[in-house]
Amino acid sequence: MPYKSGSGRWLARVSAPNPSGILKPALAKVLTNALTKAFTGCIPHRVRRARSRALTRASTSAAAFCAAALVALLPAATHAQSFTRITDGPHVNDLGASRSVNWIDYDADGDLDLFVTNGHEDGEPAFLYRNDGAPNWTFTKVTDDPIVQDLAKADGASFGDVDNDGDLDAMIVTWYGDLNLFYLGDGAGGFVKNTTEPQANIGTYSETCSWGDYDG
């Protein structure tokens, strides 16, 4: 709306529309200040008819500007990501003293599978769920692989192709001073436990582990 300054000059105060609070207060304030600055001074203070025409032009331009701004901002506001809770399948119904999760393509079929470590103080096997892929994206629990048969007091896990043979290998660290666990991928979508490497022959109170090329 128009108002008079101390010098008697007509100024324009234009507020940016904000339906349903779609604009954050800070952004609405920026738009309002920009519009006010743009239209200040365009309203003559002596000629009533000219002032009316200027007000009309200012209001029309302000409405067009705000409409364009809202059109640009609406896609980001209306296409925010959402989630649907999954309640079917073993991967969301198995009970365990779980410590960590890893998304891995352990069988190299192009979709992500799920590995979960469990760290109960009495020892508990890890969980491995094979992704069955499209179109349903269900999971099947794997129970016949060595990586899910050790009663480990496990904490963190890390996967990588340690021996550069094209499949994933696994390192699982433990708590309560138990020996860490090291598995080599067998090239057929499974794992073989390795007990000869030094990382698998030390008892620790570890929580995480990572593979890295520290020596280049």
Side-chain angles (χ1 to χ4, degrees), residues 58-132:
S59 298
T60 302
S61 299
F65 180 87
C66 291
L70 287 175
V71 168
L73 292 170
L74 276 174
T78 58
H79 291 80
Q81 181 173 329
S82 61
F83 293 88
T84 299
R85 183 176 180 179
I86 305 299
T87 58
D88 296 328
H91 57 306
V92 293
N93 285 290
D94 283 335
L95 299 178
S98 301
R99 296 293 188 267
S100 68
V101 297
N102 294 80
W103 289 105
I104 55 171
D105 185 9
Y106 86 97
D107 52 3
D109 64 351
D111 48 41
L112 290 176
D113 312 295
L114 179 62
F115 181 78
V116 182
T117 60
N118 295 308
H120 195 278
E121 62 182 11
D122 294 328
E124 187 176 6
F127 297 151
L128 177 62
Y129 303 97
R130 184 181 64 250
N131 190 334
D132 299 322

Side-chain angles (χ1 to χ4, degrees), residues 47 56 65 82 137 142 160 162:
V47 183
T56 300
F65 180 87
S82 61
W137 304 105
V142 177
V162 179

Side-chain angles (χ1 to χ4, degrees), residues 2-3 9-14 35-62:
Y3 62 93
R9 186 185 182 197
W10 283 92
L11 306 176
R13 179 66 178 177
V14 184
L35 291 171
T36 298
K37 185 176 181 180
F39 297 117
T40 293
C42 69
I43 307 172
H45 65 282
R46 292 182 178 177
V47 183
R48 183 174 300 176
R49 185 172 299 175
R51 183 180 66 197
S52 178
R53 288 197 299 268
L55 278 172
T56 300
R57 288 196 301 271
S59 298
T60 302
S61 299

